[in-house]
Amino acid sequence: MVTEWPQFFTATILQWRPLLAPDKYKDIVIAALRFLVKDKRAKVYSFAVMVNHIHIIWQVQPATTPAALQRDFLKYIAQRIKADLERYHPEQLAAFRVPAKDRICQFWKQNALSIELRSHRVFLQKLEYIHQNPVKAGLCRLPEEYKYSSASFYDSGIDYWGFLCHYFE
């Protein structure tokens, strides 16, 4: 089902482990977002990559469905991180092993949160929530100071990431 509404999407690392703490893993998330925009599968309005979860406001484009977009996005990130852990940090990978028939390890909690943003007021509320998240976590003093967020884009108007859409667009 393709929706006309932007979505607030949150994916959380299993057991809230700080898997995304290293910048190289945050960069994998950024690369995945950049690909989705370049491939015309999503418009990205806002994001914050935290140490143990991700918040995004995106809009699914007609070429895909919300479920397929979420699945492919999370799968790509998981595969890239798994490959890095296997090569450089095998001891950390062991913490994510699961007794499942369809996988050896699992990084994401099941059933990521996805909410349609059907009003401008709710959209702005979620945008503010995403940008304040790093401040509340003690990662920065001001939202625009946190590198792995879209807050600086809304503060300066400059898209350093090369894939963001302003919510007015």
Side-chain angles (χ1 to χ4, degrees):
M1 175 183 126
V2 176
T3 177
E4 64 182 279
W5 305 104
Q7 294 181 343
F8 172 72
F9 176 74
T10 298
T12 305
I13 300 297
L14 202 59
Q15 299 177 352
W16 288 88
R17 291 187 176 114
L19 178 66
L20 301 173
D23 286 354
K24 66 180 176 178
Y25 295 157
K26 291 181 192 81
D27 290 336
I28 290 171
V29 174
I30 298 300
L33 289 171
R34 186 173 287 115
F35 171 78
L36 292 175
V37 171
K38 184 180 176 192
D39 201 40
K40 299 184 183 343
R41 297 178 68 189
K43 284 185 179 179
V44 177
Y45 297 103
S46 179
F47 73 92
V49 183
M50 306 297 288
V51 299
N52 55 16
H53 65 285
I54 302 166
H55 293 301
I56 303 167
I57 296 177
W58 59 15
Q59 187 153 9
V60 177
Q61 296 302 288
T64 192
T65 64
L69 182 71
Q70 293 168 21
R71 179 198 64 228
D72 295 349
F73 174 68
L74 296 177
K75 183 177 179 180
Y76 173 84
I77 295 166
Q79 288 174 339
R80 300 289 294 231
I81 291 174
K82 180 180 175 226
D84 186 81
L85 288 172
E86 285 175 333
R87 184 169 183 183
Y88 299 109
H89 313 284
E91 69 288 349
Q92 291 179 20
L93 184 60
F96 294 96
R97 296 218 184 273
V98 292
K101 294 181 185 200
D102 64 338
R103 68 192 75 175
I104 297 168
C105 60
Q106 181 176 338
F107 299 120
W108 303 107
K109 284 176 68 174
Q110 298 285 342
N111 303 320
L113 175 68
S114 186
I115 301 170
E116 287 185 342
L117 304 177
R118 294 180 176 229
S119 75
H120 185 68
R121 181 184 63 78
V122 175
F123 186 103
L124 291 178
Q125 179 186 49
K126 296 301 183 190
L127 183 76
E128 178 75 10
Y129 175 82
I130 288 172
H131 291 159
Q132 288 298 323
N133 208 240
V135 176
K136 289 179 183 173
L139 299 173
C140 58
R141 197 174 47 82
L142 299 170
E144 58 273 15
E145 294 173 346
Y146 186 63
K147 179 180 177 182
Y148 290 96
S149 163
S150 55
S152 66
F153 170 65
Y154 284 94
D155 182 59
S156 70
I158 300 169
D159 179 9
Y160 295 105
W161 300 109
F163 61 79
L164 290 167
C165 281
H166 196 284
Y167 67 86
F168 284 144
E169 293 178 25

